[in-house]
PDB file of all heavy atoms in Angstrom:
ATOM      1  N   ALA A 218      16.522  11.598  -8.108  1.00  0.00           N
ATOM      2  CA  ALA A 218      17.070  11.630  -6.747  1.00  0.00           C
ATOM      3  C   ALA A 218      18.590  11.800  -6.763  1.00  0.00           C
ATOM      4  O   ALA A 218      19.152  12.569  -5.967  1.00  0.00           O
ATOM      5  CB  ALA A 218      16.681  10.348  -6.012  1.00  0.00           C
ATOM      6  N   VAL A 219      19.262  11.105  -7.671  1.00  0.00           N
ATOM      7  CA  VAL A 219      20.721  11.237  -7.763  1.00  0.00           C
ATOM      8  C   VAL A 219      21.115  12.661  -8.149  1.00  0.00           C
ATOM      9  O   VAL A 219      22.056  13.249  -7.592  1.00  0.00           O
ATOM     10  CB  VAL A 219      21.279  10.213  -8.770  1.00  0.00           C
ATOM     11  CG1 VAL A 219      22.750  10.507  -9.079  1.00  0.00           C
ATOM     12  CG2 VAL A 219      21.138   8.802  -8.230  1.00  0.00           C
ATOM     13  N   ALA A 220      20.382  13.253  -9.095  1.00  0.00           N
ATOM     14  CA  ALA A 220      20.693  14.619  -9.529  1.00  0.00           C
ATOM     15  C   ALA A 220      20.503  15.619  -8.391  1.00  0.00           C
ATOM     16  O   ALA A 220      21.332  16.522  -8.198  1.00  0.00           O
ATOM     17  CB  ALA A 220      19.811  14.999 -10.724  1.00  0.00           C
ATOM     18  N   VAL A 221      19.425  15.456  -7.619  1.00  0.00           N
ATOM     19  CA  VAL A 221      19.155  16.394  -6.518  1.00  0.00           C
ATOM     20  C   VAL A 221      20.202  16.263  -5.430  1.00  0.00           C
ATOM     21  O   VAL A 221      20.741  17.263  -4.927  1.00  0.00           O
ATOM     22  CB  VAL A 221      17.739  16.162  -5.954  1.00  0.00           C
ATOM     23  CG1 VAL A 221      17.511  17.003  -4.702  1.00  0.00           C
ATOM     24  CG2 VAL A 221      16.676  16.489  -6.999  1.00  0.00           C
ATOM     25  N   VAL A 222      20.519  15.034  -5.036  1.00  0.00           N
ATOM     26  CA  VAL A 222      21.496  14.826  -3.961  1.00  0.00           C
ATOM     27  C   VAL A 222      22.895  15.267  -4.403  1.00  0.00           C
ATOM     28  O   VAL A 222      23.645  15.886  -3.634  1.00  0.00           O
ATOM     29  CB  VAL A 222      21.494  13.352  -3.522  1.00  0.00           C
ATOM     30  CG1 VAL A 222      22.618  13.088  -2.526  1.00  0.00           C
ATOM     31  CG2 VAL A 222      20.143  12.986  -2.914  1.00  0.00           C
ATOM     32  N   ALA A 223      23.256  14.961  -5.653  1.00  0.00           N
ATOM     33  CA  ALA A 223      24.606  15.291  -6.114  1.00  0.00           C
ATOM     34  C   ALA A 223      24.823  16.793  -6.235  1.00  0.00           C
ATOM     35  O   ALA A 223      25.931  17.281  -5.969  1.00  0.00           O
ATOM     36  CB  ALA A 223      24.861  14.619  -7.461  1.00  0.00           C
ATOM     37  N   THR A 224      23.799  17.536  -6.627  1.00  0.00           N
ATOM     38  CA  THR A 224      23.942  18.987  -6.774  1.00  0.00           C
ATOM     39  C   THR A 224      23.690  19.728  -5.469  1.00  0.00           C
ATOM     40  O   THR A 224      23.970  20.927  -5.384  1.00  0.00           O
ATOM     41  CB  THR A 224      22.971  19.511  -7.845  1.00  0.00           C
ATOM     42  OG1 THR A 224      21.628  19.117  -7.506  1.00  0.00           O
ATOM     43  CG2 THR A 224      23.323  18.951  -9.211  1.00  0.00           C
ATOM     44  N   GLY A 225      23.141  19.025  -4.476  1.00  0.00           N
ATOM     45  CA  GLY A 225      22.872  19.667  -3.186  1.00  0.00           C
ATOM     46  C   GLY A 225      21.463  20.193  -3.116  1.00  0.00           C
ATOM     47  O   GLY A 225      20.967  20.817  -4.062  1.00  0.00           O
ATOM     48  N   ILE A 226      20.812  19.943  -1.984  1.00  0.00           N
ATOM     49  CA  ILE A 226      19.424  20.388  -1.794  1.00  0.00           C
ATOM     50  C   ILE A 226      19.461  21.869  -1.437  1.00  0.00           C
ATOM     51  O   ILE A 226      19.698  22.253  -0.289  1.00  0.00           O
ATOM     52  CB  ILE A 226      18.733  19.561  -0.696  1.00  0.00           C
ATOM     53  CG1 ILE A 226      18.796  18.064  -1.050  1.00  0.00           C
ATOM     54  CG2 ILE A 226      17.293  20.001  -0.525  1.00  0.00           C
ATOM     55  CD1 ILE A 226      18.241  17.160   0.014  1.00  0.00           C
ATOM     56  N   ALA A 227      19.214  22.702  -2.454  1.00  0.00           N
ATOM     57  CA  ALA A 227      19.413  24.144  -2.288  1.00  0.00           C
ATOM     58  C   ALA A 227      18.202  24.867  -1.744  1.00  0.00           C
ATOM     59  O   ALA A 227      18.324  25.969  -1.215  1.00  0.00           O
ATOM     60  CB  ALA A 227      19.812  24.770  -3.629  1.00  0.00           C
ATOM     61  N   GLY A 228      17.018  24.293  -1.873  1.00  0.00           N
ATOM     62  CA  GLY A 228      15.836  25.011  -1.429  1.00  0.00           C
ATOM     63  C   GLY A 228      14.647  24.092  -1.280  1.00  0.00           C
ATOM     64  O   GLY A 228      14.760  22.852  -1.322  1.00  0.00           O
ATOM     65  N   GLU A 229      13.471  24.699  -1.103  1.00  0.00           N
ATOM     66  CA  GLU A 229      12.246  23.938  -0.872  1.00  0.00           C
ATOM     67  C   GLU A 229      11.888  23.080  -2.079  1.00  0.00           C
ATOM     68  O   GLU A 229      11.427  21.942  -1.934  1.00  0.00           O
ATOM     69  CB  GLU A 229      11.100  24.898  -0.555  1.00  0.00           C
ATOM     70  CG  GLU A 229       9.777  24.215  -0.252  1.00  0.00           C
ATOM     71  CD  GLU A 229       8.679  25.214   0.055  1.00  0.00           C
ATOM     72  OE1 GLU A 229       8.962  26.421   0.125  1.00  0.00           O
ATOM     73  OE2 GLU A 229       7.515  24.773   0.217  1.00  0.00           O
ATOM     74  N   THR A 230      12.091  23.587  -3.291  1.00  0.00           N
ATOM     75  CA  THR A 230      11.741  22.833  -4.489  1.00  0.00           C
ATOM     76  C   THR A 230      12.567  21.564  -4.599  1.00  0.00           C
ATOM     77  O   THR A 230      12.036  20.488  -4.924  1.00  0.00           O
ATOM     78  CB  THR A 230      11.941  23.706  -5.741  1.00  0.00           C
ATOM     79  OG1 THR A 230      11.142  24.885  -5.636  1.00  0.00           O
ATOM     80  CG2 THR A 230      11.530  22.951  -7.001  1.00  0.00           C
ATOM     81  N   ASP A 231      13.851  21.643  -4.324  1.00  0.00           N
ATOM     82  CA  ASP A 231      14.707  20.455  -4.373  1.00  0.00           C
ATOM     83  C   ASP A 231      14.295  19.439  -3.318  1.00  0.00           C
ATOM     84  O   ASP A 231      14.285  18.221  -3.576  1.00  0.00           O
ATOM     85  CB  ASP A 231      16.166  20.848  -4.166  1.00  0.00           C
ATOM     86  CG  ASP A 231      16.755  21.545  -5.377  1.00  0.00           C
ATOM     87  OD1 ASP A 231      16.143  21.452  -6.458  1.00  0.00           O
ATOM     88  OD2 ASP A 231      17.810  22.197  -5.243  1.00  0.00           O
ATOM     89  N   ALA A 232      13.956  19.925  -2.119  1.00  0.00           N
ATOM     90  CA  ALA A 232      13.530  19.012  -1.058  1.00  0.00           C
ATOM     91  C   ALA A 232      12.238  18.292  -1.432  1.00  0.00           C
ATOM     92  O   ALA A 232      12.103  17.074  -1.232  1.00  0.00           O
ATOM     93  CB  ALA A 232      13.357  19.782   0.249  1.00  0.00           C
ATOM     94  N   LEU A 233      11.279  19.038  -1.993  1.00  0.00           N
ATOM     95  CA  LEU A 233      10.015  18.423  -2.414  1.00  0.00           C
ATOM     96  C   LEU A 233      10.237  17.452  -3.567  1.00  0.00           C
ATOM     97  O   LEU A 233       9.609  16.387  -3.635  1.00  0.00           O
ATOM     98  CB  LEU A 233       9.017  19.504  -2.817  1.00  0.00           C
ATOM     99  CG  LEU A 233       8.415  20.331  -1.686  1.00  0.00           C
ATOM    100  CD1 LEU A 233       7.597  21.492  -2.233  1.00  0.00           C
ATOM    101  CD2 LEU A 233       7.539  19.452  -0.785  1.00  0.00           C
ATOM    102  N   ASN A 234      11.119  17.818  -4.480  1.00  0.00           N
ATOM    103  CA  ASN A 234      11.431  16.939  -5.607  1.00  0.00           C
ATOM    104  C   ASN A 234      12.027  15.620  -5.132  1.00  0.00           C
ATOM    105  O   ASN A 234      11.642  14.531  -5.590  1.00  0.00           O
ATOM    106  CB  ASN A 234      12.397  17.657  -6.552  1.00  0.00           C
ATOM    107  CG  ASN A 234      12.533  16.961  -7.890  1.00  0.00           C
ATOM    108  OD1 ASN A 234      11.852  15.974  -8.178  1.00  0.00           O
ATOM    109  ND2 ASN A 234      13.414  17.464  -8.728  1.00  0.00           N
ATOM    110  N   LEU A 235      12.962  15.689  -4.188  1.00  0.00           N
ATOM    111  CA  LEU A 235      13.580  14.476  -3.645  1.00  0.00           C
ATOM    112  C   LEU A 235      12.562  13.641  -2.877  1.00  0.00           C
ATOM    113  O   LEU A 235      12.507  12.409  -3.035  1.00  0.00           O
ATOM    114  CB  LEU A 235      14.751  14.852  -2.742  1.00  0.00           C
ATOM    115  CG  LEU A 235      15.493  13.693  -2.080  1.00  0.00           C
ATOM    116  CD1 LEU A 235      16.112  12.775  -3.124  1.00  0.00           C
ATOM    117  CD2 LEU A 235      16.556  14.216  -1.123  1.00  0.00           C
ATOM    118  N   ALA A 236      11.756  14.283  -2.037  1.00  0.00           N
ATOM    119  CA  ALA A 236      10.739  13.550  -1.263  1.00  0.00           C
ATOM    120  C   ALA A 236       9.728  12.875  -2.184  1.00  0.00           C
ATOM    121  O   ALA A 236       9.341  11.718  -1.965  1.00  0.00           O
ATOM    122  CB  ALA A 236      10.033  14.510  -0.308  1.00  0.00           C
ATOM    123  N   CYS A 237       9.319  13.585  -3.239  1.00  0.00           N
ATOM    124  CA  CYS A 237       8.360  13.017  -4.187  1.00  0.00           C
ATOM    125  C   CYS A 237       8.944  11.790  -4.878  1.00  0.00           C
ATOM    126  O   CYS A 237       8.262  10.768  -5.045  1.00  0.00           O
ATOM    127  CB  CYS A 237       7.964  14.075  -5.220  1.00  0.00           C
ATOM    128  SG  CYS A 237       6.774  13.520  -6.443  1.00  0.00           S
ATOM    129  N   SER A 238      10.209  11.852  -5.269  1.00  0.00           N
ATOM    130  CA  SER A 238      10.846  10.725  -5.952  1.00  0.00           C
ATOM    131  C   SER A 238      10.957   9.509  -5.034  1.00  0.00           C
ATOM    132  O   SER A 238      10.618   8.382  -5.432  1.00  0.00           O
ATOM    133  CB  SER A 238      12.236  11.136  -6.447  1.00  0.00           C
ATOM    134  OG  SER A 238      12.154  12.196  -7.373  1.00  0.00           O
ATOM    135  N   LEU A 239      11.408   9.711  -3.795  1.00  0.00           N
ATOM    136  CA  LEU A 239      11.595   8.589  -2.870  1.00  0.00           C
ATOM    137  C   LEU A 239      10.262   7.965  -2.468  1.00  0.00           C
ATOM    138  O   LEU A 239      10.133   6.728  -2.403  1.00  0.00           O
ATOM    139  CB  LEU A 239      12.365   9.057  -1.643  1.00  0.00           C
ATOM    140  CG  LEU A 239      13.798   9.547  -1.899  1.00  0.00           C
ATOM    141  CD1 LEU A 239      14.446  10.009  -0.602  1.00  0.00           C
ATOM    142  CD2 LEU A 239      14.641   8.445  -2.565  1.00  0.00           C
ATOM    143  N   LEU A 240       9.268   8.803  -2.195  1.00  0.00           N
ATOM    144  CA  LEU A 240       7.963   8.267  -1.805  1.00  0.00           C
ATOM    145  C   LEU A 240       7.258   7.583  -2.971  1.00  0.00           C
ATOM    146  O   LEU A 240       6.518   6.614  -2.771  1.00  0.00           O
ATOM    147  CB  LEU A 240       7.096   9.391  -1.238  1.00  0.00           C
ATOM    148  CG  LEU A 240       7.514   9.884   0.152  1.00  0.00           C
ATOM    149  CD1 LEU A 240       6.742  11.140   0.522  1.00  0.00           C
ATOM    150  CD2 LEU A 240       7.274   8.790   1.198  1.00  0.00           C
ATOM    151  N   THR A 241       7.484   8.061  -4.180  1.00  0.00           N
ATOM    152  CA  THR A 241       6.914   7.385  -5.347  1.00  0.00           C
ATOM    153  C   THR A 241       7.521   5.998  -5.514  1.00  0.00           C
ATOM    154  O   THR A 241       6.822   5.038  -5.874  1.00  0.00           O
ATOM    155  CB  THR A 241       7.139   8.223  -6.618  1.00  0.00           C
ATOM    156  OG1 THR A 241       6.513   9.497  -6.470  1.00  0.00           O
ATOM    157  CG2 THR A 241       6.563   7.525  -7.845  1.00  0.00           C
ATOM    158  N   LEU A 242       8.818   5.863  -5.252  1.00  0.00           N
ATOM    159  CA  LEU A 242       9.447   4.545  -5.305  1.00  0.00           C
ATOM    160  C   LEU A 242       8.819   3.592  -4.292  1.00  0.00           C
ATOM    161  O   LEU A 242       8.531   2.428  -4.614  1.00  0.00           O
ATOM    162  CB  LEU A 242      10.948   4.680  -5.034  1.00  0.00           C
ATOM    163  CG  LEU A 242      11.792   5.310  -6.146  1.00  0.00           C
ATOM    164  CD1 LEU A 242      13.201   5.593  -5.635  1.00  0.00           C
ATOM    165  CD2 LEU A 242      11.847   4.392  -7.358  1.00  0.00           C
ATOM    166  N   ALA A 243       8.600   4.066  -3.081  1.00  0.00           N
ATOM    167  CA  ALA A 243       7.957   3.230  -2.059  1.00  0.00           C
ATOM    168  C   ALA A 243       6.537   2.863  -2.473  1.00  0.00           C
ATOM    169  O   ALA A 243       6.102   1.715  -2.297  1.00  0.00           O
ATOM    170  CB  ALA A 243       7.947   3.969  -0.722  1.00  0.00           C
ATOM    171  N   GLN A 244       5.816   3.825  -3.027  1.00  0.00           N
ATOM    172  CA  GLN A 244       4.438   3.567  -3.458  1.00  0.00           C
ATOM    173  C   GLN A 244       4.381   2.516  -4.563  1.00  0.00           C
ATOM    174  O   GLN A 244       3.514   1.632  -4.564  1.00  0.00           O
ATOM    175  CB  GLN A 244       3.799   4.871  -3.934  1.00  0.00           C
ATOM    176  CG  GLN A 244       2.301   4.778  -4.185  1.00  0.00           C
ATOM    177  CD  GLN A 244       1.978   4.388  -5.612  1.00  0.00           C
ATOM    178  OE1 GLN A 244       2.664   4.795  -6.542  1.00  0.00           O
ATOM    179  NE2 GLN A 244       0.909   3.632  -5.787  1.00  0.00           N
ATOM    180  N   LEU A 245       5.312   2.573  -5.501  1.00  0.00           N
ATOM    181  CA  LEU A 245       5.344   1.592  -6.582  1.00  0.00           C
ATOM    182  C   LEU A 245       5.573   0.183  -6.044  1.00  0.00           C
ATOM    183  O   LEU A 245       4.874  -0.767  -6.428  1.00  0.00           O
ATOM    184  CB  LEU A 245       6.452   1.945  -7.582  1.00  0.00           C
ATOM    185  CG  LEU A 245       6.260   3.198  -8.437  1.00  0.00           C
ATOM    186  CD1 LEU A 245       7.539   3.503  -9.202  1.00  0.00           C
ATOM    187  CD2 LEU A 245       5.105   3.026  -9.401  1.00  0.00           C
ATOM    188  N   CYS A 246       6.535   0.037  -5.145  1.00  0.00           N
ATOM    189  CA  CYS A 246       6.846  -1.289  -4.602  1.00  0.00           C
ATOM    190  C   CYS A 246       5.682  -1.860  -3.805  1.00  0.00           C
ATOM    191  O   CYS A 246       5.293  -3.028  -3.988  1.00  0.00           O
ATOM    192  CB  CYS A 246       8.101  -1.213  -3.737  1.00  0.00           C
ATOM    193  SG  CYS A 246       9.601  -0.761  -4.644  1.00  0.00           S
ATOM    194  N   LEU A 247       5.102  -1.050  -2.925  1.00  0.00           N
ATOM    195  CA  LEU A 247       3.996  -1.541  -2.101  1.00  0.00           C
ATOM    196  C   LEU A 247       2.759  -1.846  -2.939  1.00  0.00           C
ATOM    197  O   LEU A 247       2.074  -2.855  -2.714  1.00  0.00           O
ATOM    198  CB  LEU A 247       3.667  -0.501  -1.022  1.00  0.00           C
ATOM    199  CG  LEU A 247       4.734  -0.317   0.064  1.00  0.00           C
ATOM    200  CD1 LEU A 247       4.387   0.867   0.958  1.00  0.00           C
ATOM    201  CD2 LEU A 247       4.881  -1.587   0.899  1.00  0.00           C
ATOM    202  N   GLN A 248       2.465  -0.989  -3.923  1.00  0.00           N
ATOM    203  CA  GLN A 248       1.284  -1.236  -4.755  1.00  0.00           C
ATOM    204  C   GLN A 248       1.462  -2.483  -5.614  1.00  0.00           C
ATOM    205  O   GLN A 248       0.516  -3.264  -5.790  1.00  0.00           O
ATOM    206  CB  GLN A 248       1.006  -0.026  -5.648  1.00  0.00           C
ATOM    207  CG  GLN A 248      -0.211  -0.207  -6.549  1.00  0.00           C
ATOM    208  CD  GLN A 248      -0.555   1.047  -7.316  1.00  0.00           C
ATOM    209  OE1 GLN A 248      -1.292   1.902  -6.846  1.00  0.00           O
ATOM    210  NE2 GLN A 248      -0.012   1.172  -8.513  1.00  0.00           N
ATOM    211  N   ASN A 249       2.661  -2.695  -6.136  1.00  0.00           N
ATOM    212  CA  ASN A 249       2.901  -3.913  -6.910  1.00  0.00           C
ATOM    213  C   ASN A 249       2.682  -5.160  -6.071  1.00  0.00           C
ATOM    214  O   ASN A 249       2.065  -6.135  -6.523  1.00  0.00           O
ATOM    215  CB  ASN A 249       4.330  -3.903  -7.470  1.00  0.00           C
ATOM    216  CG  ASN A 249       4.487  -2.985  -8.665  1.00  0.00           C
ATOM    217  OD1 ASN A 249       3.504  -2.562  -9.269  1.00  0.00           O
ATOM    218  ND2 ASN A 249       5.716  -2.673  -8.999  1.00  0.00           N
ATOM    219  N   LEU A 250       3.192  -5.151  -4.843  1.00  0.00           N
ATOM    220  CA  LEU A 250       2.993  -6.301  -3.954  1.00  0.00           C
ATOM    221  C   LEU A 250       1.517  -6.522  -3.669  1.00  0.00           C
ATOM    222  O   LEU A 250       1.028  -7.666  -3.684  1.00  0.00           O
ATOM    223  CB  LEU A 250       3.760  -6.083  -2.648  1.00  0.00           C
ATOM    224  CG  LEU A 250       5.289  -6.125  -2.741  1.00  0.00           C
ATOM    225  CD1 LEU A 250       5.906  -5.732  -1.402  1.00  0.00           C
ATOM    226  CD2 LEU A 250       5.766  -7.502  -3.170  1.00  0.00           C
ATOM    227  N   PHE A 251       0.776  -5.442  -3.430  1.00  0.00           N
ATOM    228  CA  PHE A 251      -0.643  -5.565  -3.120  1.00  0.00           C
ATOM    229  C   PHE A 251      -1.421  -6.129  -4.310  1.00  0.00           C
ATOM    230  O   PHE A 251      -2.250  -7.038  -4.155  1.00  0.00           O
ATOM    231  CB  PHE A 251      -1.197  -4.198  -2.725  1.00  0.00           C
ATOM    232  CG  PHE A 251      -2.695  -4.172  -2.550  1.00  0.00           C
ATOM    233  CD1 PHE A 251      -3.283  -4.728  -1.432  1.00  0.00           C
ATOM    234  CD2 PHE A 251      -3.514  -3.615  -3.528  1.00  0.00           C
ATOM    235  CE1 PHE A 251      -4.667  -4.713  -1.272  1.00  0.00           C
ATOM    236  CE2 PHE A 251      -4.885  -3.596  -3.380  1.00  0.00           C
ATOM    237  CZ  PHE A 251      -5.464  -4.150  -2.244  1.00  0.00           C
ATOM    238  N   ILE A 252      -1.152  -5.616  -5.500  1.00  0.00           N
ATOM    239  CA  ILE A 252      -1.902  -6.065  -6.680  1.00  0.00           C
ATOM    240  C   ILE A 252      -1.558  -7.505  -7.021  1.00  0.00           C
ATOM    241  O   ILE A 252      -2.452  -8.333  -7.295  1.00  0.00           O
ATOM    242  CB  ILE A 252      -1.615  -5.140  -7.874  1.00  0.00           C
ATOM    243  CG1 ILE A 252      -2.177  -3.739  -7.611  1.00  0.00           C
ATOM    244  CG2 ILE A 252      -2.232  -5.702  -9.143  1.00  0.00           C
ATOM    245  CD1 ILE A 252      -1.861  -2.737  -8.708  1.00  0.00           C
ATOM    246  N   ILE A 253      -0.284  -7.850  -7.009  1.00  0.00           N
ATOM    247  CA  ILE A 253       0.123  -9.214  -7.373  1.00  0.00           C
ATOM    248  C   ILE A 253      -0.442 -10.222  -6.393  1.00  0.00           C
ATOM    249  O   ILE A 253      -0.932 -11.294  -6.780  1.00  0.00           O
ATOM    250  CB  ILE A 253       1.654  -9.305  -7.445  1.00  0.00           C
ATOM    251  CG1 ILE A 253       2.175  -8.463  -8.615  1.00  0.00           C
ATOM    252  CG2 ILE A 253       2.105 -10.753  -7.591  1.00  0.00           C
ATOM    253  CD1 ILE A 253       3.680  -8.319  -8.654  1.00  0.00           C
ATOM    254  N   GLU A 254      -0.412  -9.892  -5.101  1.00  0.00           N
ATOM    255  CA  GLU A 254      -0.990 -10.795  -4.099  1.00  0.00           C
ATOM    256  C   GLU A 254      -2.487 -10.936  -4.307  1.00  0.00           C
ATOM    257  O   GLU A 254      -3.050 -12.032  -4.193  1.00  0.00           O
ATOM    258  CB  GLU A 254      -0.696 -10.265  -2.697  1.00  0.00           C
ATOM    259  CG  GLU A 254      -1.174 -11.163  -1.576  1.00  0.00           C
ATOM    260  CD  GLU A 254      -0.426 -12.481  -1.497  1.00  0.00           C
ATOM    261  OE1 GLU A 254       0.690 -12.561  -2.041  1.00  0.00           O
ATOM    262  OE2 GLU A 254      -0.969 -13.431  -0.903  1.00  0.00           O
ATOM    263  N   GLY A 255      -3.161  -9.843  -4.636  1.00  0.00           N
ATOM    264  CA  GLY A 255      -4.597  -9.900  -4.862  1.00  0.00           C
ATOM    265  C   GLY A 255      -4.971 -10.704  -6.095  1.00  0.00           C
ATOM    266  O   GLY A 255      -5.970 -11.445  -6.098  1.00  0.00           O
ATOM    267  N   LEU A 256      -4.180 -10.592  -7.165  1.00  0.00           N
ATOM    268  CA  LEU A 256      -4.475 -11.342  -8.389  1.00  0.00           C
ATOM    269  C   LEU A 256      -4.292 -12.844  -8.201  1.00  0.00           C
ATOM    270  O   LEU A 256      -4.892 -13.634  -8.942  1.00  0.00           O
ATOM    271  CB  LEU A 256      -3.572 -10.857  -9.526  1.00  0.00           C
ATOM    272  CG  LEU A 256      -3.831  -9.441 -10.052  1.00  0.00           C
ATOM    273  CD1 LEU A 256      -2.774  -9.061 -11.078  1.00  0.00           C
ATOM    274  CD2 LEU A 256      -5.224  -9.339 -10.672  1.00  0.00           C
ATOM    275  N   HIS A 257      -3.480 -13.242  -7.242  1.00  0.00           N
ATOM    276  CA  HIS A 257      -3.205 -14.660  -7.036  1.00  0.00           C
ATOM    277  C   HIS A 257      -4.045 -15.272  -5.911  1.00  0.00           C
ATOM    278  O   HIS A 257      -3.809 -16.423  -5.537  1.00  0.00           O
ATOM    279  CB  HIS A 257      -1.714 -14.873  -6.731  1.00  0.00           C
ATOM    280  CG  HIS A 257      -0.841 -14.739  -7.933  1.00  0.00           C
ATOM    281  ND1 HIS A 257      -0.410 -13.515  -8.393  1.00  0.00           N
ATOM    282  CD2 HIS A 257      -0.331 -15.666  -8.794  1.00  0.00           C
ATOM    283  CE1 HIS A 257       0.347 -13.697  -9.471  1.00  0.00           C
ATOM    284  NE2 HIS A 257       0.406 -14.976  -9.721  1.00  0.00           N
ATOM    285  N   ARG A 258      -4.997 -14.523  -5.361  1.00  0.00           N
ATOM    286  CA  ARG A 258      -5.868 -15.072  -4.326  1.00  0.00           C
ATOM    287  C   ARG A 258      -7.151 -15.624  -4.933  1.00  0.00           C
ATOM    288  O   ARG A 258      -7.665 -15.100  -5.922  1.00  0.00           O
ATOM    289  CB  ARG A 258      -6.227 -13.987  -3.300  1.00  0.00           C
ATOM    290  CG  ARG A 258      -5.086 -13.595  -2.375  1.00  0.00           C
ATOM    291  CD  ARG A 258      -4.635 -14.763  -1.514  1.00  0.00           C
ATOM    292  NE  ARG A 258      -3.538 -14.412  -0.627  1.00  0.00           N
ATOM    293  CZ  ARG A 258      -3.674 -14.210   0.686  1.00  0.00           C
ATOM    294  NH1 ARG A 258      -4.874 -14.296   1.245  1.00  0.00           N
ATOM    295  NH2 ARG A 258      -2.623 -13.914   1.430  1.00  0.00           N
ATOM    296  N   GLN A 259      -7.666 -16.686  -4.306  1.00  0.00           N
ATOM    297  CA  GLN A 259      -8.953 -17.224  -4.723  1.00  0.00           C
ATOM    298  C   GLN A 259     -10.059 -16.208  -4.431  1.00  0.00           C
ATOM    299  O   GLN A 259      -9.975 -15.469  -3.447  1.00  0.00           O
ATOM    300  CB  GLN A 259      -9.254 -18.520  -3.956  1.00  0.00           C
ATOM    301  CG  GLN A 259      -8.337 -19.679  -4.283  1.00  0.00           C
ATOM    302  CD  GLN A 259      -8.691 -20.362  -5.593  1.00  0.00           C
ATOM    303  OE1 GLN A 259      -9.650 -19.965  -6.257  1.00  0.00           O
ATOM    304  NE2 GLN A 259      -7.930 -21.368  -5.963  1.00  0.00           N
ATOM    305  N   PRO A 260     -11.089 -16.132  -5.267  1.00  0.00           N
ATOM    306  CA  PRO A 260     -12.204 -15.216  -4.974  1.00  0.00           C
ATOM    307  C   PRO A 260     -12.883 -15.575  -3.668  1.00  0.00           C
ATOM    308  O   PRO A 260     -12.896 -16.726  -3.232  1.00  0.00           O
ATOM    309  CB  PRO A 260     -13.145 -15.413  -6.168  1.00  0.00           C
ATOM    310  CG  PRO A 260     -12.300 -16.009  -7.243  1.00  0.00           C
ATOM    311  CD  PRO A 260     -11.266 -16.827  -6.537  1.00  0.00           C
ATOM    312  N   PHE A 261     -13.481 -14.563  -3.025  1.00  0.00           N
ATOM    313  CA  PHE A 261     -14.228 -14.811  -1.790  1.00  0.00           C
ATOM    314  C   PHE A 261     -15.488 -15.612  -2.072  1.00  0.00           C
ATOM    315  O   PHE A 261     -15.943 -16.374  -1.240  1.00  0.00           O
ATOM    316  CB  PHE A 261     -14.628 -13.486  -1.127  1.00  0.00           C
ATOM    317  CG  PHE A 261     -13.577 -12.937  -0.215  1.00  0.00           C
ATOM    318  CD1 PHE A 261     -12.817 -11.836  -0.584  1.00  0.00           C
ATOM    319  CD2 PHE A 261     -13.336 -13.516   1.016  1.00  0.00           C
ATOM    320  CE1 PHE A 261     -11.859 -11.326   0.258  1.00  0.00           C
ATOM    321  CE2 PHE A 261     -12.376 -13.013   1.868  1.00  0.00           C
ATOM    322  CZ  PHE A 261     -11.630 -11.908   1.488  1.00  0.00           C
ATOM    323  N   ASP A 262     -16.061 -15.419  -3.264  1.00  0.00           N
ATOM    324  CA  ASP A 262     -17.314 -16.114  -3.576  1.00  0.00           C
ATOM    325  C   ASP A 262     -17.071 -17.612  -3.613  1.00  0.00           C
ATOM    326  O   ASP A 262     -16.153 -18.090  -4.271  1.00  0.00           O
ATOM    327  CB  ASP A 262     -17.859 -15.655  -4.932  1.00  0.00           C
ATOM    328  CG  ASP A 262     -18.147 -14.161  -4.928  1.00  0.00           C
ATOM    329  OD1 ASP A 262     -19.054 -13.746  -4.212  1.00  0.00           O
ATOM    330  OD2 ASP A 262     -17.432 -13.441  -5.630  1.00  0.00           O
ATOM    331  N   GLU A 263     -17.941 -18.342  -2.907  1.00  0.00           N
ATOM    332  CA  GLU A 263     -17.779 -19.785  -2.868  1.00  0.00           C
ATOM    333  C   GLU A 263     -18.146 -20.381  -4.219  1.00  0.00           C
ATOM    334  O   GLU A 263     -19.054 -19.935  -4.900  1.00  0.00           O
ATOM    335  CB  GLU A 263     -18.670 -20.412  -1.781  1.00  0.00           C
ATOM    336  CG  GLU A 263     -18.279 -20.045  -0.372  1.00  0.00           C
ATOM    337  CD  GLU A 263     -18.834 -18.698   0.041  1.00  0.00           C
ATOM    338  OE1 GLU A 263     -19.601 -18.133  -0.749  1.00  0.00           O
ATOM    339  OE2 GLU A 263     -18.491 -18.229   1.137  1.00  0.00           O
TER     340      GLU A 263
END
């Protein structure tokens, strides 16, 4: 993301590259929260 922004978004490939990087960061954070919360919950089975 730093390389794309610093050199300037010159075309469609740069825009897709930047969007992919930023959305992957969001996906990593949200998925980590979901998995960690799930691992620390009691099972539904009584």
Side-chain angles (χ1 to χ4, degrees):
V219 169
V221 173
V222 173
T224 56
I226 303 176
E229 182 180 355
T230 302
D231 287 344
L233 288 172
N234 193 4
L235 179 61
C237 181
S238 299
L239 296 179
L240 288 171
T241 300
L242 288 170
Q244 190 270 324
L245 291 171
C246 296
L247 291 172
Q248 180 174 272
N249 283 345
L250 291 173
F251 173 75
I252 293 176
I253 293 172
E254 184 67 20
L256 291 175
H257 285 83
R258 288 297 180 105
Q259 293 282 359
F261 273 106
D262 299 293
E263 293 82 6

